[in-house]
Amino acid sequence: MNLKRITILCAAAIGLMTAATAATPVYLDKTQPIEKRVDDALSRMTLEEKVALCHAQGKFSSPGVPRLGIPELWMSDGPHGVRAEINWNDWGYSNRTNDSITAFPALTALAATWNPAMSALYGKNVGEEARYRKKDVLLGPGVNIYRTPLNGRNFEYMGEDPYLAGVMVVPYIQELQKNGVAACVKHFALNNQEKWRGNINVKLSDRALYEIYLPAFKKAVQEGKVWSIMGAYNKIWDEHCCHNARLLNDILRGEWGFDGVVITDWGGAHDTRQAALNGLDIEMGSFTNGLTSESGFGYNQYYLADPYYNMIKSGEVPESTVNDKARRILRLIFRTVMDTNKPLGSLTTDEHYAAAKEIGDQSIVLLKNTGILPLAPKPGMKVLVVGENATRALNQGGGSSELKVKDMFSPLDALRKVYGPGVKYAMGYKTGRPMYAMEDTIPVSVLDSLRDEAIAMAGEADYVIYIGGLNKNAYQDCESTDRREYNLPWNQDALIEGLVKANPNVIVANVSGNAYAMPWIDKVPAVLQSWYLGTMIGPSMADVISGKVNPSGKLPFSFPKKLEDNGAHHYGEISYPGIESEIAGNAADDLKGADVSAGRDPQQEYLEDILVGYRWHDTKKIPALFPFGHGLSYTNFKYGKATLSTRTVGPDGTVTVTVPVTNTGKVAGQEVVQLYIGDDKARVLRPQKELKGFEKVTLAPGETAQVTFTVSPDDLKFFDDAKHEWVAEPGTFTAYIGSSSADIRAKASFRLK
Ligand code: BGC
């Protein structure tokens, strides 16, 4: 606990003791409802104190109200574990010895479990670590929609489908917040690429906004009851998201009734008047020299600091704006750090490791298998592991989600536990130091010799397990940069081709948070997609490869065959990455994510509109290499006929669809049964079908489950831009039930009256 915090808590305690003689002030009276306590605290505060609540006092905290014993609010990244302590006033790590944590699987992995119970487990466990580390706000989870495989930050999000992301985000928030730690769902909204994130100006239809990009945020607010939200760096309709009137005032507060706090992304505020009026509550910062030096951009110079105070004083913006902000921030403080009933939390426990392992196990996706997997260990078996990701510290780099782990069990170590210490290893390629925004140049001669060595060793082995993919360096899966190409980097395609030539038994088990091209797909017998699984990455991967765990993950996003097959890339530069409008110094901004505005922002239009991900592949009839929802098992599942509760439904009625699913194989397994709904004929363009339900069932060999989905009136609607409302048109709808978006096993149609 830092000194300032101790002082504040002591002040609060002394306040309480002296209050034994006088009456306890209402704001400190735990028996009173929060709203009454907030009102009371607010009534005692000066204008200076209210304004002070609205901006950072250091890199990750805001000040509270010391005079009243109201403590500081401490925030931390998020979202895959609690980040190591950062210095008060710069981005350096403070090198403590008590901030090593459990790294949980990245959110892409969580989404790939297609299991809300895994989200609940995740929220509970990461919440306990955040509480133990005395954090009041965990900066995550992220639910920006996966629009392009080039987005460097997709690994922090939950895939391409708003329904999947929405269902998965809710239990995470609920369980996290039970620890007295607020979730801060981010980045609201449309931070769907890192290139030019600071000032890209996005234009899109209301339909795409409401149908694709907002629903997961809406669920986080209305069902998850999230206590805070982080504004995105980018602009929408010419206004920065952190103080975007339409986004924050009209939609978030107005339409959704959000009662929590909007926090900027770090350095995401740009204008005091807009920040005052347009629904921003706390301004946090990236680019301050602040506090100790009087120079440049100190905390009191933030848009929501002295400039705000002065505008209120001069009457340029009403005082009611700061009352509203302070009220929300106090509410957040009472919900978190002032909640005296909150648990104590815990760190790196066996339970946390087991949770990380279970989530990891359920997330790995078996993309292809001709029968080589599972690879049961046999005496004398010669196994060669190739690839840098078998040993690399993948929790490092990547940006703000970087983690300092207490333990990290690597795939190579875990595979040696399963197949014996004789397992050989060849790096195959090399990428340099695992650091945020780093990109080392590796001489071609080094890459060539690593490749030749691995290929030579492959010829000697019975089996080759290839563990490559992407990593967290700049231009890979990394904040502040987008990828430069869809293919795997560092000549991995040539390496894989070379390995298969030397040995046909190559099992590819890549780690990434994004899709990539697989020109070698027809030549390899098996491909597993793993993710950044954190502390337990090795044991999860080894157990799936060896068959101890039967894979049950499903892709939360499509793998197009080539980049142009993705909707965002179909329309050229204006759609991705946007068109630069005479911006100076872009290359440098690429790395820092800094704003380069001055009225010359890159312009972007989401021309694929609502046809994101599989909606594009399906509707345009462009098959993906591996479709959304795809994932195989070591057993087989047979789907029976779908039956409907009714063939005709009224506008307010519901239909249930039931389908029997049987495990026809020899081992127990889990299947994610997916329900998609399509409107057979509509006056507007609608996707061929959209995910509206899923259930992960566990089945013993021979066992059958009756899986029932309820289709509600909302599941049939589209967002009508002109009317600004959700509309369902009478006519025929089809329920598609399948094992992936492209593997439909049963269908049934019904009429909406
Ligand atoms: C990121 C946020 C993060 C914040 C604090 C920003 O650069 O975009 O996601 O929470 O930094 O580290």
Side-chain angles (χ1 to χ4, degrees):
M1 188 180 295
N2 68 49
L3 209 59
K4 191 151 181 196
R5 192 160 185 166
I6 294 173
T7 318
I8 290 167
L9 291 177
C10 290
I14 292 164
L16 276 171
M17 282 182 316
T18 34
T21 43
T24 307
V26 172
Y27 78 95
L28 287 176
D29 182 351
K30 290 185 281 185
T31 63
Q32 297 290 332
I34 281 191
E35 293 307 313
K36 249 182 126 175
R37 296 174 69 188
V38 167
D39 280 346
D40 182 55
L42 200 59
S43 72
R44 294 165 192 267
M45 286 166 63
T46 64
L47 179 60
E48 285 88 343
E49 285 169 336
K50 292 176 193 170
V51 171
L53 282 182
C54 301
H55 59 270
Q57 59 170 358
K59 274 275 156 287
F60 279 94
S61 67
S62 65
V65 195
R67 184 178 60 85
L68 298 179
I70 294 177
E72 298 163 343
L73 203 55
W74 274 84
M75 312 176 190
S76 173
D77 288 304
H80 308 136
V82 189
R83 193 179 185 183
E85 295 300 329
I86 304 268
N87 291 335
W88 184 274
N89 205 39
D90 64 51
W91 283 103
Y93 285 109
S94 55
N95 295 329
R96 301 198 194 174
T97 51
N98 61 354
D99 58 356
S100 302
I101 45 73
T102 309
F104 293 91
L107 292 187
T108 333
L110 178 61
T113 69
W114 289 62
N115 187 349
M118 290 300 105
S119 284
L121 190 68
Y122 199 125
K124 173 180 184 290
N125 284 273
V126 76
E128 286 171 359
E129 300 223 342
R131 183 71 272 146
Y132 190 85
R133 289 269 311 274
K134 308 242 179 321
K135 303 304 177 193
D136 309 312
V137 181
L138 188 71
L139 303 170
V143 288
N144 292 99
I145 290 295
Y146 185 118
R147 176 175 181 254
T148 154
L150 297 191
N151 177 16
R153 264 186 122 169
N154 278 336
F155 74 96
E156 288 188 57
Y157 305 138
M158 299 210 225
E160 72 185 26
D161 183 76
Y163 180 83
L164 176 66
V167 170
M168 295 300 285
V169 77
V170 168
Y172 181 120
I173 296 167
Q174 290 170 337
E175 289 301 315
L176 171 73
Q177 294 191 165
K178 283 184 189 161
N179 290 283
V181 178
C184 184
V185 170
K186 64 195 192 182
H187 304 90
F188 192 60
L190 303 180
N191 189 170
N192 301 321
Q193 67 188 51
E194 289 299 286
K195 192 168 174 67
W196 301 322
R197 68 176 178 177
N199 67 336
I200 184 101
N201 186 22
V202 181
K203 302 220 161 93
L204 79 172
S205 71
D206 274 7
R207 242 192 109 188
L209 184 72
Y210 276 79
E211 290 187 20
I212 306 294
Y213 297 102
L214 292 185
F217 286 103
K218 185 179 179 190
K219 273 212 175 84
V221 169
Q222 295 192 330
E223 291 175 37
K225 306 257 182 265
V226 72
W227 291 336
S228 66
I229 278 205
M230 186 187 292
Y233 279 130
N234 49 285
K235 291 183 165 186
I236 309 183
W237 311 297
D238 307 315
E239 204 164 47
H240 274 105
C241 290
C242 286
H243 31 68
N244 187 300
R246 182 143 183 239
L247 213 49
L248 302 180
N249 284 344
D250 300 351
I251 298 176
L252 180 64
R253 292 176 170 194
E255 294 177 18
W256 302 349
F258 178 62
D259 72 354
V261 167
V262 174
I263 301 172
T264 58
D265 200 338
W266 269 230
H270 302 270
D271 180 274
T272 298
R273 173 183 296 280
Q274 287 180 18
L277 298 174
N278 295 352
L280 174 65
D281 301 305
I282 301 183
E283 179 187 1
M284 300 300 292
S286 273
F287 303 113
T288 176
N289 298 322
L291 281 181
T292 50
S293 72
E294 286 299 303
S295 62
F297 193 33
Y299 296 107
N300 58 347
Q301 289 169 286
Y302 274 33
Y303 295 98
L304 281 187
D306 290 357
Y308 185 31
Y309 178 87
N310 293 335
M311 271 194 161
I312 297 170
K313 274 291 191 198
S314 67
E316 284 173 86
V317 294
E319 192 168 343
S320 58
T321 60
V322 77
N323 286 332
D324 178 56
K325 295 180 202 304
R327 179 183 301 281
R328 288 167 180 272
I329 298 163
L330 287 169
R331 190 181 289 136
L332 179 63
I333 292 176
F334 280 108
R335 282 170 165 170
T336 55
V337 54
M338 290 275 277
D339 172 5
T340 46
N341 291 326
K342 61 186 179 297
L344 293 172
S346 53
L347 202 67
T348 56
T349 61
D350 289 351
E351 195 194 355
H352 295 179
Y353 284 13
K357 169 76 167 48
E358 174 69 19
I359 297 161
D361 286 356
Q362 290 206 24
S363 75
I364 295 175
V365 183
L366 179 59
L367 292 176
K368 171 177 177 177
N369 187 16
T370 57
I372 191 171
L373 287 175
L375 188 65
K378 285 194 204 87
M381 192 172 182
K382 287 187 276 175
V383 174
L384 170 70
V385 174
V386 179
E388 195 187 44
N389 282 347
T391 58
R392 194 177 171 87
L394 289 166
N395 47 286
Q396 281 172 250
S400 54
S401 65
E402 173 170 77
L403 294 171
K404 175 173 154 189
V405 289
K406 180 162 164 244
D407 294 298
M408 150 97 185
F409 302 103
S410 76
L412 180 61
D413 284 348
L415 287 166
R416 284 193 169 138
K417 280 214 169 99
V418 174
Y419 299 103
V423 168
K424 295 221 162 76
Y425 176 63
M427 213 171 177
Y429 66 93
K430 181 180 172 175
T431 67
R433 291 161 295 169
M435 286 171 76
Y436 177 27
M438 279 301 306
E439 200 189 27
D440 287 328
T441 312
I442 310 293
V444 177
S445 58
V446 172
L447 285 172
D448 285 351
S449 75
L450 286 170
R451 187 187 59 215
D452 293 348
E453 177 200 41
I455 292 171
M457 287 168 77
E460 310 285 302
D462 297 327
Y463 295 95
V464 178
I465 301 173
Y466 181 79
I467 304 184
L470 301 174
N471 66 31
K472 302 286 194 65
N473 279 11
Y475 305 106
Q476 304 305 320
D477 285 325
C478 184
E479 181 178 337
S480 300
T481 55
D482 278 355
R483 293 166 66 198
R484 296 186 181 114
E485 53 174 350
Y486 185 51
N487 280 67
L488 288 176
W490 309 294
N491 268 333
Q492 288 183 77
D493 288 337
L495 171 61
I496 296 171
E497 302 259 2
L499 292 171
V500 200
K501 251 194 207 144
N503 186 332
N505 295 328
V506 176
I507 294 152
V508 176
N510 279 335
V511 179
S512 75
N514 254 319
Y516 44 87
M518 298 189 196
W520 31 262
I521 186 67
D522 294 333
K523 299 178 190 153
V524 297
V527 182
L528 278 167
Q529 175 62 30
S530 182
W531 320 97
Y532 301 108
L533 298 184
T535 294
M536 300 302 281
I537 184 170
S540 283
M541 287 182 73
D543 283 355
V544 168
I545 291 170
S546 66
K548 192 167 169 201
V549 167
N550 190 351
S552 64
K554 298 274 185 177
L555 289 179
F557 50 79
S558 317
F559 271 63
K561 285 183 189 148
K562 51 186 194 306
L563 195 58
E564 302 72 51
D565 290 355
N566 162 287
H569 292 271
H570 180 82
Y571 295 98
E573 251 184 299
I574 181 69
S575 186
Y576 179 88
I579 295 198
E580 295 176 60
S581 41
E582 303 158 41
I583 300 168
N586 257 321
D589 296 318
D590 240 358
L591 271 183
K592 287 194 240 99
D595 191 297
V596 286
S597 53
R600 293 174 169 183
D601 308 325
Q603 304 297 316
Q604 183 177 38
E605 290 173 40
Y606 284 10
L607 292 176
E608 79 286 10
D609 201 44
I610 52 165
L611 298 182
V612 174
Y614 67 91
R615 289 166 167 80
W616 174 267
H617 289 286
D618 281 1
T619 312
K620 298 285 179 183
K621 304 206 180 344
I622 301 169
L625 175 62
F626 292 110
F628 173 78
H630 172 71
L632 306 170
S633 164
Y634 295 150
T635 187
N636 293 307
F637 299 101
K638 189 168 166 284
Y639 287 58
K641 262 186 83 144
T643 46
L644 294 169
S645 57
T646 172
R647 294 229 160 250
T648 313
V649 62
D652 300 320
T654 57
V655 191
T656 62
V657 194
T658 302
V659 69
V661 179
T662 306
N663 179 348
T664 56
K666 294 197 177 69
V667 288
Q670 290 183 295
E671 168 71 333
V672 179
V673 183
Q674 301 159 40
L675 168 79
Y676 298 82
I677 300 284
D679 187 348
D680 290 1
K681 209 167 141 212
R683 79 182 147 87
V684 294
L685 172 75
R686 298 199 68 178
Q688 191 230 337
K689 60 182 186 306
E690 300 181 89
L691 186 72
K692 296 294 173 187
F694 60 89
E695 197 178 327
K696 194 165 197 170
V697 290
T698 307
L699 294 172
E703 195 183 356
T704 299
Q706 299 291 336
V707 180
T708 298
F709 298 103
T710 302
V711 183
S712 76
D714 285 349
D715 295 331
L716 310 179
K717 293 179 179 164
F718 66 92
F719 189 80
D720 187 326
D721 280 17
K723 293 190 184 150
H724 196 78
E725 65 185 35
W726 291 90
V727 174
E729 290 175 342
T732 310
F733 289 81
T734 301
Y736 303 85
I737 293 133
S739 182
S740 85
S741 60
D743 183 6
I744 298 304
R745 307 283 185 90
K747 275 196 233 177
S749 296
F750 58 92
R751 275 191 65 75
L752 173 68
K753 274 197 282 203

